[in-house]
Amino acid sequence: MAAMLTVLCSMLLLGGVMNHQVGAEGSGGPHAPLGAADVPPRITEGGPVVDTRSGVQRSLSPQPGKVALTFDDGPDPRWTPQVLAVLAKYHVPATFFLIGAHVAQNPGIVRDEVAAGDEVGIHTFTHDDLGAAPSWRRTLEFSQTQSVIAGAAGVSTPLLRPPYSSEPDALDRLDWAAIQDAGRRGYLVVLTDRDSEDWRRDGVQKILDASIPPMPAPSPAADAKNGKDPKDAKSGNAAAPPPGFVLMMHDGGGDRSETVAALDQLIPALQARGYAFDTVTGAVGAPSPLAPADTAARWKGRGLIAAVQVSVSVVGWLGWAVLVSGAVSGVRIVILLIAARRHKKRRSTPWGPPVTRPVSVIVPAYNEEAGIRATVESLSASVHPIEIIVVDDGSTDGTAAVVEALIRTRRPGQPPLRLISQVNGGKPAALNTGAAAARGDLLVMMDGDTVFEPETIAWLVQPFADPSVGAVSGNAKVGNRKGILGRWQHIEYVVGFNLERRMYDLAGCMPTVPGAVGAFRRDALTRVGGVSDDTLAEDTDLTMAVIRDGWRAVYEERAVAWTEAPTSLRQFWRQRYRWCYGTLQAMWKHRRSVLRRGAEGKLGRRGLTYMLLFQVLMPVLAPIVDVFAVYGLVFNDAARVGAVWLAFLAVQTLTALYAFRLDRERPTALWTLPLQQVVYRQLMYLVVIHSLVTALVGSRLRWQRMQRYGSLGTPAAGQPRS
């Protein structure tokens, strides 16, 4: 998983550079202070082609009558082919200064440019301002762009146009330093004589006005010598070719429809004035600088192109995944809230005639010395007639001695208490031992670290008035809530577990009657063969088996039990790891219920599907979604991503407030909810992933027992724990 996340982060980083770090014309430079005086006059007053290679400092100008059309910010899959079509229409060459990120996404267009006889140069990889960039960044911008050009078209080029550049007289100190650095790296820098300013998108006519130089003033002496009328402007042009120039246009970086339209008018207009079109090097009278790239450079470039294309695809698919995930999560919240409201209204009516017959309470105990006294004392205060059976499953501490002392000090009127000691056989064996010794036909099962309120058992057994009910889940609450981890678990119990149990109850697919507070009809327990030790989640396994046998499993929120939650991350991890692994085992064991009818089919198609989606798949994908969220903050609109997260948090908070109201809990713990979303949620996802990997590799997980501290006392009725 770590390796997958590392690869994913790499793809997102590359995709972020592709999609969001590629600048556009109109930003960057000039720099402050300008320091134009630091640039030699022969450069600022010279031509648009600046050569500082081999330590020289010279500028070159296009030959008279020559126009070099140049295009920046491409290749663009929509606009560059249209530009190429116009150039081919008039048989005109051009020079394209390419952004490496765009080359990687559109390598075929670069091949078309080279095949058409056009020149290509680099415009950096991400349209970075070279004057403000450190040396290492320039190296990266140059090398990566050269690589993708070599991979796309099989050529290398020494031509460079710095982003945000214009005429030579606009150079400042930082620009000049960057140009000199480029010269030391072997690059011939191409600026411009005329900027079409087509990036402003102010209309075709404005582009033409900015691109076409004014008519040169006529020479009367030359006209008279040639017998021409001095008033004829055309005779002045015919006397000498007009000055050549380099024209800057754009084929990428935005909507270039006006550029394409203007180009179709510009070429014939300039030709009519006597101009001839050439590439930049052709216009200054130099040979073409393009050279075949060596084999290693081509393969390196192809690899980079493939990586970029994969990363862009990953970003796109993840965007859809996040959208779908958010929609599914939203639907889940709506379903949970609607189900909770309907469940509350349904449970306001009695189950049937009151259930008053005695109940057997089975308490499996292994090394529960710290909390067993509070457990037994809470049961002794029950308002419902019960018998208490403590099964000491081979404890190595004083658990049995504590229970024996409680037996000796029983007062008249307290429910009978029995202790059964056996060799350690695990919790399922202890529960089966207790069930065999129990006298009642209704069996309440609880953990040795749990305490009941006086009315808990009375509420817990009332659903058995309905003969179709075979199992009842109570309302487990976290008793030790003082620490931040305790508060987070408290929120999880109230908002997660109990809201879902209400939904499961209405849908007829309750997958788990928790071991902390649950009751079973003896007939149901007997028919499924007792508590199985096939899984580490014996409560989930047993509940699914009971439902598959045709019984109903329901939720009674008024049957409150207080349980001791882990107080350290290590203990928390071990507990949740066991729960999650055991749940996966139970889901796999009962997978065939998906194909059955009736109650068994409801468990499979509703319960197991829901668990698979929200307890397995969503947690597995969650780290990827979170990484994508961080990617959005870094590379996308951070304000929008932050607003979405705050909206999600607001929905979670409102849901939590409603759940706390249903459970009659004070919402004071909800101040930790934002931090829970950032820390606790990630921890739970890692637990699920760890459990899933363990299951897939076929490892057999041992029982993970939590250290008990006896932090729960005997509660008064309805009194929240601290």
Side-chain angles (χ1 to χ4, degrees), residues 111-176:
R111 287 193 291 271
D112 293 341
E113 291 171 343
V114 174
D118 299 313
E119 281 183 342
V120 293
I122 73 172
H123 200 44
T124 73
F125 198 77
T126 64
H127 205 277
D128 192 42
D129 185 353
L130 295 179
S135 178
W136 68 265
R137 179 66 182 266
R138 293 173 189 165
T139 300
L140 188 65
E141 295 284 340
F142 296 155
S143 64
Q144 299 300 82
T145 308
Q146 286 284 12
S147 289
V148 292
I149 291 176
V155 298
S156 63
T157 175
L159 298 180
L160 164 68
R161 171 168 283 165
Y164 314 111
S165 62
S166 58
E167 294 86 357
D169 59 4
L171 294 174
D172 60 32
R173 176 176 54 82
L174 295 181
D175 292 328
W176 176 236

Side-chain angles (χ1 to χ4, degrees), residues 78-117:
R78 180 178 182 183
W79 303 115
T80 304
Q82 294 185 41
V83 169
L84 289 173
V86 175
L87 296 176
K89 175 181 176 181
Y90 295 102
H91 306 288
V92 167
T95 302
F96 292 88
F97 291 97
L98 311 173
I99 293 179
H102 295 166
V103 173
Q105 297 175 70
N106 307 284
I109 298 177
V110 181
R111 287 193 291 271
D112 293 341
E113 291 171 343
V114 174

Side-chain angles (χ1 to χ4, degrees), residues 414-428:
Q414 288 186 317
L417 171 62
R418 283 189 286 165
L419 173 66
I420 301 176
S421 297
Q422 66 178 28
V423 176
N424 180 257
K427 187 176 180 180

Side-chain angles (χ1 to χ4, degrees), residues 262-413:
L263 183 64
D264 199 20
Q265 300 178 43
L266 176 66
I267 293 175
L270 290 176
Q271 288 176 332
R273 294 192 177 192
Y275 285 100
F277 292 88
D278 209 333
T279 61
V280 167
T281 54
V284 299
S288 173
L290 300 186
D294 59 46
T295 302
R298 294 187 185 191
W299 281 108
K300 178 183 177 182
R302 290 168 186 167
L304 181 56
I305 290 172
V308 168
Q309 292 179 345
V310 169
S311 69
V312 171
S313 298
V314 167
V315 171
W317 281 108
L318 281 181
W320 281 106
V322 171
L323 182 63
V324 172
S325 175
V328 171
S329 298
V331 171
R332 171 179 175 261
I333 290 175
V334 171
I335 291 175
L336 288 176
L337 293 177
I338 294 175
R341 184 172 179 83
R342 291 185 58 189
H343 186 271
K344 182 180 180 180
K345 290 182 177 180
R346 178 181 294 187
R347 290 299 170 257
S348 62
T349 59
W351 288 96
V355 177
T356 58
R357 60 187 183 274
V359 173
S360 298
V361 182
I362 305 169
V363 185
Y366 174 74
N367 289 351
E368 300 286 0
E369 179 182 5
I372 194 65
R373 178 182 294 276
T375 299
V376 173
E377 288 179 349
S378 73
L379 293 173
S380 299
S382 174
V383 299
H384 192 92
I386 62 172
E387 67 164 341
I388 307 170
I389 303 173
V390 177
V391 181
D392 178 22
D393 189 42
S395 297
T396 58
D397 63 359
T399 300
V402 173
V403 177
E404 288 171 349
L406 290 171
I407 293 174
R408 289 193 301 269
T409 58
R410 301 302 283 172
R411 297 187 302 272

Side-chain angles (χ1 to χ4, degrees), residues 36-51 57-62 166-172 176 179 191-193 244:
D38 296 332
V39 186
R42 61 179 173 275
I43 299 298
T44 58
E45 299 171 5
V49 180
V50 181
D51 187 1
Q57 294 181 358
R58 62 172 181 162
S59 63
L60 305 172
S61 298
S166 58
E167 294 86 357
D169 59 4
L171 294 174
D172 60 32
W176 176 236
I179 289 175
L191 303 176
T192 187
D193 290 304

Side-chain angles (χ1 to χ4, degrees), residues 675-704:
L675 191 59
Q676 185 197 45
Q677 298 300 310
V678 176
V679 180
Y680 186 81
R681 194 165 58 99
Q682 321 306 321
L683 187 61
M684 288 300 302
Y685 295 158
L686 293 176
V687 169
V688 173
I689 294 170
H690 189 190
S691 303
L692 187 60
V693 170
T694 303
L696 291 175
V697 300
S699 300
R700 178 73 177 181
L701 183 65
R702 297 181 303 165
W703 186 272
Q704 304 287 325

